[in-house]
Amino acid sequence: GESVGLHLPTLSVQEGDNSIINCAYSNSASDYFIWYKQESGKGPQFIIDIRSNMDKRQGQRVTVLLNKTVKHLSLQIAATQPGDSAVYFCAEKWGAGNMLTFGGGTRLMVKP
Amino acid sequence: DADVTQTPRNRITKTGKRIMLECSQTKGHDRMYWYRQDPGLGLQLIYYSFDVKDINKGEISDGYSVSRQAQAKFSLSLESAIPNQTALYFCATSDIAGGQETQYFGPGTRLLVL
């Protein structure tokens, strides 16, 4: 079976409920943040991003909130569906020439 | 993402063997990356390339080498594989648009070093 994320923190939600996945980032100079979704056996997939001059950005069923004061990023998924079950990673970046740094990930499990 | 392909998808090798992981992309991106993923950890950057003549070490480059043969191809080599290189390996490409950079990942290569 899939061994990636075997020891990740896990969030278990009921289908139809809203999910909130949290991420604490490390660098106060980071100016760009991304949430990725990784399904079992697949590579990470871009979900939504946000720049540091914003505190909220909405996509389709997803919202990212950025709190620069406490260096905290969250991903909210509305009306969670079984297809949302995956590992979710946040990533931060500072400066155009620098690389993304990924967080450890959270496993989301959706109960039918 | 079918635009970024990796071969092989699975590989078992023995300690001391040399192996190469291939990555190809049809997205036309200049930037390409190799990451490693271990259980319970996020992605760690091994090497990256901003164009054909540019190669840069990432945070965990020891024991690895890369070759950017063309804009579309970026290969990762383990010169002498060791068991702690057992991991999932991902290739990614990126483009910068409007000051934002989004990385697109391949499906991954699962490597087991015995």
Side-chain angles (χ1 to χ4, degrees), chain A residues 4 32 36 38 51 89 93, chain B residues 37 88 90 99-101:
Chain A
V4 170
Y32 182 54
Y36 282 92
Q38 186 176 20
R51 295 200 67 85
F89 293 97
K93 181 181 175 183
Chain B
Q37 188 175 43
L88 264 175
F90 289 102
Q100 317 240 53
E101 179 177 358

Side-chain angles (χ1 to χ4, degrees), chain A residues 20-90:
Chain A
I20 300 176
I21 301 170
N22 296 304
C23 175
Y25 63 92
S26 59
N27 191 335
S28 57
S30 292
D31 57 7
Y32 182 54
F33 306 88
I34 305 177
W35 278 101
Y36 282 92
K37 172 185 181 183
Q38 186 176 20
E39 297 175 274
S40 181
K42 297 182 180 180
Q45 179 183 12
F46 172 89
I47 303 174
I48 191 168
D49 60 0
I50 188 168
R51 295 200 67 85
S52 58
N53 60 353
M54 304 171 67
D55 54 21
K56 180 180 181 179
R57 190 163 188 221
Q58 288 184 295
Q60 185 177 17
R61 277 202 312 120
V62 295
T63 301
V64 56
L65 299 178
L66 175 62
N67 185 331
K68 294 181 288 292
T69 302
V70 295
K71 294 189 290 186
H72 184 267
L73 195 67
S74 69
L75 177 71
Q76 299 179 1
I77 304 174
T80 311
Q81 302 168 1
D84 295 325
S85 293
V87 176
Y88 290 81
F89 293 97
C90 67

Side-chain angles (χ1 to χ4, degrees), chain B residues 21 78 107 109:
Chain B
L21 309 183
L78 286 68
T109 294

Side-chain angles (χ1 to χ4, degrees), chain B residues 52-91:
Chain B
V52 174
K53 297 179 181 179
D54 178 76
I55 299 289
N56 304 282
K57 292 183 178 180
E59 54 190 310
I60 56 162
S61 59
D62 288 349
Y64 302 95
S65 63
V66 291
S67 175
R68 186 78 185 269
Q69 302 95 320
Q71 186 203 39
K73 296 186 182 296
F74 192 37
S75 59
L76 175 72
S77 294
L78 286 68
E79 297 300 326
S80 180
I82 57 177
N84 75 3
Q85 290 178 311
T86 293
L88 264 175
Y89 290 86
F90 289 102
C91 174

Side-chain angles (χ1 to χ4, degrees), chain B residues 17-64:
Chain B
K17 293 292 186 180
R18 181 182 187 276
I19 66 164
M20 180 181 289
L21 309 183
E22 305 274 6
C23 177
S24 295
Q25 54 117 344
T26 58
K27 301 186 80 67
H29 291 168
D30 287 325
R31 299 186 171 197
M32 297 187 74
Y33 308 80
W34 273 104
Y35 289 92
R36 167 181 173 153
Q37 188 175 43
D38 294 279
L41 296 178
L43 295 161
Q44 295 177 280
L45 183 63
I46 307 173
Y47 270 95
Y48 62 99
S49 169
F50 282 177
D51 65 42
V52 174
K53 297 179 181 179
D54 178 76
I55 299 289
N56 304 282
K57 292 183 178 180
E59 54 190 310
I60 56 162
S61 59
D62 288 349
Y64 302 95

